[in-house]
């Protein structure tokens, strides 16, 4: 479970990597603010291969900050992040993905219990908002994900990005839980992009210094609504390549990440497929209906986009593609 440390007890090393090595378990850093009656929560490292939030937390704490309200920085997947090479594992092999275990009240595995522990802690603080900082698995700009497009969510999003995905898909993420406050996931950008680290730190600094969310400007936000989650059907083999691989069921373009957040036209070729579409892929909507036939068509084994759309979170990391999803698709 989480250990709770007051920031005044911290002695930080010179680098974030050294700090990671010092941490032995999931950790919550509490920082006392000028207004001690209020809390704001930042979640980082839910996935061990998404380090921008952790880097931002380290650099923020090195400043010996004096936030406007109390702040809690919740650092979760320490063990996964420490596996070599550092920041390369989404979760510990053989265990569950933490961000798919929230809300699972009947599960007694270690990861589900950690999710419940974090949920209980957040609710105990009655926070003004909860920000969950992530990185994207493929190239692409920063964006937010939320189950609500309330004005406060839009304001929080605008601190980090001008793009927002509105979803009702239930996958077991932290963002889906009810904390009686605005809760939003921020995908800061690609996990290996220094700009993503900067976005996370700038947003953290901004949101800890303002008197209230009302101080934030209402900026224009591009909204992508009701995305479909494209997943590989069980038993389907996948490869990423520049050419057709006849030895696997699906070959996806190696450069598929270049499609992220660009308008993808009907007829765009995204790969090759060796068997029936519905046997290989699923694209479940909010009613858990597989709508894959509405998204793609097959011509001479080529997998083609069927209608104009936006693709995001497309990755060429095979482990993520098989264990989570290939990408999300929203109508253009």
């Amino acid at each position: 479970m989480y250990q709770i440390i007051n920031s005044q007890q911290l002695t930080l090393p010179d680098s974030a990597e050294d700090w990671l090595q010092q941490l032995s378990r999931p950790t919550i850093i509490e920082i006392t603010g000028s207004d001690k009656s209020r809390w704001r929560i930042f979640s980082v490292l839910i996935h061990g291969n998404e380090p921008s939030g952790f880097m931002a937390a380290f650099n923020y704490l090195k400043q010996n900050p004096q936030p406007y309200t109390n702040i809690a920085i919740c650092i979760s997947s320490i063990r996964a992040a420490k596996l070599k090479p550092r920041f390369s594992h989404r979760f510990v092999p053989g265990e569950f993905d933490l961000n798919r275990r929230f809300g699972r009240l009947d599960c007694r595995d270690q990861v589900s219990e950690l999710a419940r522990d974090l949920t209980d802690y957040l609710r105990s603080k009655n926070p003004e908002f909860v920000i969950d900082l992530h990185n994207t698995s493929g190239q692409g700009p920063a964006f937010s994900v939320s189950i609500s497009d309330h004005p406060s969510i839009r304001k929080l999003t605008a601190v980090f990005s001008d793009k927002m995905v509105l979803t009702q898909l239930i996958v077991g993420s932290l963002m889906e839980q009810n904390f009686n406050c605005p809760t939003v996931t921020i995908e800061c950008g690609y996990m290996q992009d220094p700009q993503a680290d900067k976005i996370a730190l700038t947003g953290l600094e901004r949101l800890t210094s303002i008197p209230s969310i009302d101080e934030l400007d209402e900026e224009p936000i591009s909204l992508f609504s009701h995305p479909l989650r494209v997943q590989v059907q069980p038993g389907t083999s996948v490869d990423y390549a520049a050419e057709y691989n006849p030895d696997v069921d699906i070959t996806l373009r190696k450069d598929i990440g270049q499609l992220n957040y660009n308008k993808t036209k009907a007829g765009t070729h995204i790969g090759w497929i060796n068997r029936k579409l519905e046997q290989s892929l699923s694209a479940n909507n909010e009613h858990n209906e597989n709508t894959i036939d509405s998204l793609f068509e097959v011509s001479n084994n080529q997998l083609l986009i069927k209608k104009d759309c936006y693709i995001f979170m497309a990755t060429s990391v095979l482990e993520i593609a098989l264990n989570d999803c290939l990408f999300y698709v929203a109508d253009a």
Side-chain angles (χ1 to χ4, degrees):
M1 298 299 101
Y2 289 83
Q3 63 175 337
I4 300 175
I5 300 174
N6 189 280
S7 62
Q8 295 178 346
Q9 301 172 278
L10 282 177
T11 301
L12 292 171
D14 292 333
S15 72
E17 289 80 3
D18 288 341
W19 187 36
L20 177 68
Q21 285 303 115
Q22 288 182 4
L23 296 172
S24 60
R25 55 189 286 200
T27 300
I28 296 172
I29 309 297
E30 296 185 343
I31 310 167
T32 303
S34 301
D35 184 344
K36 299 177 177 61
S37 67
R38 296 188 283 156
W39 285 88
R40 298 170 184 173
I41 308 290
F42 296 86
S43 164
V44 307
L45 216 61
I46 283 277
H47 290 137
N49 64 338
E50 299 178 8
S52 285
F54 180 78
M55 298 296 184
F58 174 79
N59 288 308
Y60 177 72
L61 291 166
K62 289 287 278 187
Q63 300 172 16
N64 190 26
Q66 302 296 313
Y68 199 94
T69 69
N70 296 330
I71 301 298
I73 299 175
C74 307
I75 311 168
S76 295
S77 295
I78 298 293
R79 290 186 302 126
K82 291 170 76 169
L83 293 175
K84 294 182 179 179
R86 290 176 183 170
F87 302 119
S88 65
H89 287 72
R90 186 179 176 93
F91 51 88
V92 175
E95 297 186 2
F96 290 109
D97 180 335
L98 176 59
N99 213 35
R100 299 295 178 264
R101 305 308 285 179
F102 288 94
R104 293 179 177 265
L105 302 179
D106 57 340
C107 297
R108 292 293 175 261
D109 60 275
Q110 180 180 354
V111 178
S112 297
E113 289 180 358
L114 187 68
R116 284 195 294 273
D117 190 36
L118 181 56
T119 300
D120 291 344
Y121 174 84
L122 267 57
R123 286 176 178 157
S124 74
K125 296 301 182 184
N126 296 311
E128 293 185 340
F129 58 74
V130 176
I131 302 291
D132 188 18
L133 294 170
H134 285 255
N135 287 105
T136 57
S137 303
Q139 298 284 354
F143 62 96
S144 77
V145 187
S146 179
I147 61 173
S148 167
D149 66 343
H150 188 276
S152 60
I153 296 285
R154 288 173 173 262
K155 286 185 175 184
L156 290 169
T157 289
V159 174
F160 299 90
S161 171
D162 63 354
K163 296 177 175 61
M164 175 178 164
V165 175
L166 177 66
T167 180
Q168 297 297 319
L169 294 173
I170 303 301
V171 299
S173 69
L174 175 65
M175 172 202 70
E176 298 160 11
Q177 309 313 303
N178 181 11
F179 300 113
N180 293 313
C181 69
T183 302
V184 60
T185 292
I186 302 295
E187 300 282 353
C188 298
Y190 188 46
M191 61 184 72
Q192 298 177 9
D193 187 352
Q195 180 64 19
D197 297 350
K198 182 178 179 181
I199 287 171
L201 178 58
T202 301
L204 179 56
E205 291 172 338
R206 175 74 172 132
L207 291 179
T208 57
S209 64
I210 56 173
S212 74
I213 297 177
D214 294 337
E215 299 288 319
L216 298 172
D217 295 330
E218 292 192 28
E219 303 285 351
I221 296 291
S222 297
L223 187 65
F224 302 85
S225 299
H226 306 292
L228 299 171
R229 188 168 183 244
V230 180
Q231 294 180 279
V232 176
Q233 295 279 35
T236 303
S237 56
V238 177
D239 186 24
Y240 290 88
E243 298 178 349
Y244 172 53
N245 181 353
D247 297 326
V248 297
D249 297 318
I250 298 174
T251 307
L252 292 173
R253 285 171 40 180
K254 196 174 185 66
D255 65 347
I256 195 167
Q258 294 183 7
L259 300 178
N260 283 329
Y261 272 108
N262 296 312
K263 187 175 182 179
T264 303
K265 293 286 189 178
T268 299
H269 170 242
I270 65 167
W272 299 263
I273 188 167
N274 276 335
R275 61 178 185 172
K276 289 183 178 180
L277 184 60
E278 64 273 12
Q279 293 177 343
S280 305
L281 296 172
S282 65
N284 287 3
N285 60 20
E286 295 156 5
H287 306 292
N288 205 31
E289 300 165 334
N290 187 3
T291 63
I292 196 70
D293 288 331
S294 70
L295 295 182
F296 304 114
E297 59 186 355
V298 180
S299 177
N300 296 323
N301 291 101
Q302 293 192 66
L303 187 60
L304 307 174
I305 296 291
K306 197 169 188 177
K307 60 181 180 180
D308 292 356
C309 64
Y310 287 96
I311 290 175
F312 51 96
M313 291 292 282
T315 178
S316 58
V317 179
L318 185 59
E319 179 185 11
I320 295 174
L322 293 177
N323 292 323
D324 191 49
C325 71
L326 297 177
F327 46 77
Y328 292 81
V329 178
D331 288 342

